[in-house]
Amino acid sequence: MTSDTLSAVTDALPIPILVIGPDDRIRAANPPVEAVLGPGIVGRLYITILRQPALLEAIAKVREGLDAQTTRFAGRDGTKDTIYRVVIARAGTDIVLSFEDQTAAEEAGQMRRDFVANVSHELRTPLTALLGFIETLGGAARDDAAARDRFLGIMQKEASRMTRLVDDLLSLSRVEEDERVRPREDVDLAGILSSVIKGLEPQAEKAGVKVCLRAPEESEVVPGDTGQLIQVFSNLIENGIKYGASGGVVNVTLFNREAHARLRGEGVQVSVADRGDGIPSHHIARLTERFYRVDNHRSREVGGTGLGLAIVKHIVNRHRGRLVIESEEGQGTEVSVFLPTQ
Ligand code: ATP
Ligand code: MG
């Protein structure tokens, strides 16, 4: 194949391709591979371009007549590192290198490992506490009725913490599963908001927080999944009660339907606002990550696992809606959900 036809073929391929001739010089390099290795490399000796030992070794093996080789290559484009899986194969007297970007796969793997590590850690803490108390109850505190009651109380709290974590994990995986299926029930928003508020009343009272609902005369009905939207507002209002308690009030507002640029169409906004301590701005973008908590210790104290907003985000996405979190330190936090009306 002439060099021209060879270049025409490699240029037509979308992945980075490099062809090395029998004289060890680069015969063809398509634009994607130039983006990885730099421009103007055709005609140069390949060892001056590919300086990573594992790759050079693999090329030498193929040159000696071994089968196709696979190796890794770390590319740097100035802003980020990219890991490529490189396949080196012989084509006549040439050697062809194809590069496959592994970043997404590696990131997915990393996320999975982080997730398992987080879950294990979250489960281990209450389990360790439980084991400790069981031991104490069986020994030192066996005949101490007062201590026994106190320990049982703590054990119950730790066990409910684990149940809650498992429930949250299950609902997260369920939501992820049907994220592509658009929900179609008619959901009466004012109705579910007042029932959620009613359900949280004991918790609000205990925290000294008043939850107020403002809704238009005529309620708004949107297409959605009732159970999931209840989950969304439960978590948002509960967060307002748990983390905004110092403000003493959580205002829940249901707005009339109107055109929203965020939805590129008509929708309904529900906002949950507290007057608590607020959230430092650098945390806001990360709140919807699984297990992300602003103040780990304080949040654990109030029983949070950090999964609530991750679930909220998935549910809102499933409804093709938008979630907006605004907060000012010392002023409070306002979380708004925008749901399309069709
Ligand atoms: P879970 O909802 O699973 O019980 P959680 O409430 O800790 O646990 P999220 O609802 O995801 O988890 O909230 C994540 C973190 O965001 C919280 O731990 C808290 O630090 C912070 N946060 C959420 N809402 C507020 C709020 N209204 N004011 C201040 N901080 C908040
Ligand atoms: Mg929460």
Side-chain angles (χ1 to χ4, degrees):
M1 204 185 287
T2 68
S3 286
D4 279 351
T5 0
L6 183 62
S7 296
V9 171
T10 55
D11 284 1
L13 296 170
I15 62 163
I17 300 283
L18 190 76
V19 182
I20 301 171
D23 58 354
D24 288 343
R25 290 184 185 274
I26 295 174
R27 272 192 78 195
N30 66 354
V33 89
E34 285 192 334
V36 180
L37 301 172
I41 55 176
V42 172
R44 303 206 12 212
L45 284 170
Y46 77 85
I47 45 166
T48 64
I49 305 294
L50 307 167
R51 292 155 173 272
Q52 297 182 18
L55 183 56
L56 296 176
E57 212 171 285
I59 296 173
K61 281 188 187 156
V62 174
R63 182 68 93 215
E64 282 161 20
L66 262 63
D67 285 345
Q69 302 282 310
T70 304
T71 184
R72 277 157 62 92
F73 180 82
R76 246 162 238 119
D77 71 355
T79 52
K80 62 180 193 323
D81 292 352
T82 309
I83 301 293
Y84 295 92
R85 175 175 174 266
V86 187
V87 177
I88 304 122
R90 191 209 300 274
T93 53
D94 291 338
I95 291 178
V96 178
L97 276 61
S98 55
F99 294 67
E100 192 186 333
D101 189 344
Q102 290 293 96
T103 320
E106 301 228 340
E107 274 173 5
Q110 186 58 41
M111 269 174 68
R112 219 167 16 241
R113 286 190 291 278
D114 287 351
F115 184 67
V116 172
N118 275 324
V119 173
S120 323
H121 176 79
E122 292 294 330
L123 283 172
R124 190 159 55 199
T125 317
L127 269 176
T128 311
L130 278 175
L131 286 172
F133 286 118
I134 291 171
E135 201 178 296
T136 321
L137 283 173
R142 186 186 284 272
D143 302 316
D144 182 342
R148 205 165 51 211
D149 285 350
R150 197 161 57 83
F151 290 162
L152 281 173
I154 305 175
M155 287 168 75
Q156 180 167 22
K157 203 169 134 215
E158 294 296 335
S160 355
R161 195 178 166 62
M162 286 197 287
T163 315
R164 211 182 139 138
L165 174 65
V166 173
D167 286 347
D168 276 357
L169 285 171
L170 284 175
S171 72
L172 189 60
S173 75
R174 222 171 297 133
V175 180
E176 278 180 327
E177 214 162 81
D178 56 20
E179 189 161 342
R180 283 172 210 295
V181 192
R182 201 133 173 230
R184 284 281 166 211
E185 285 161 32
D186 286 334
V187 184
D188 165 17
L189 288 174
I192 64 168
L193 287 172
S194 52
S195 81
V196 166
I197 293 172
K198 198 164 224 117
L200 287 169
E201 230 157 49
Q203 197 176 338
E205 210 161 285
K206 224 162 140 195
V209 175
K210 201 166 155 32
V211 184
C212 305
L213 171 64
R214 253 175 295 166
E217 290 273 302
E218 215 159 281
S219 178
E220 289 290 358
V221 175
V222 297
D225 179 314
T226 312
Q228 288 191 340
L229 290 177
I230 288 178
Q231 232 179 322
V232 166
F233 298 120
S234 299
N235 182 58
L236 297 183
I237 298 169
E238 191 189 19
N239 281 354
I241 297 171
K242 286 196 298 195
Y243 308 112
S246 60
V249 61
V250 173
N251 285 314
V252 183
T253 315
L254 167 63
F255 294 88
N256 275 121
R257 64 179 63 204
E258 59 179 321
H260 286 289
R262 285 192 171 96
L263 296 174
R264 295 209 187 89
E266 195 191 59
V268 174
Q269 177 184 357
V270 179
S271 72
V272 178
D274 64 62
R275 298 201 197 125
D277 301 333
I279 304 166
S281 57
H282 61 279
H283 289 294
I284 293 184
R286 302 196 55 191
L287 291 179
T288 53
E289 288 174 20
R290 297 157 174 196
F291 296 110
Y292 194 84
R293 289 181 294 224
V294 173
D295 177 343
N296 257 325
H297 184 70
R298 197 173 135 218
S299 162
R300 277 184 62 88
E301 280 296 296
V302 292
T305 59
L307 286 172
L309 288 173
I311 296 173
V312 166
K313 176 89 190 178
H314 273 292
I315 295 179
V316 173
N317 282 349
R318 181 178 175 219
H319 286 75
R320 311 278 191 277
R322 277 299 156 93
L323 177 71
V324 178
I325 304 174
E326 288 161 318
S327 189
E328 204 165 314
E329 272 183 275
Q331 303 290 315
T333 304
E334 175 162 353
V335 184
S336 300
V337 175
F338 295 84
L339 295 168
T341 42
Q342 50 194 328

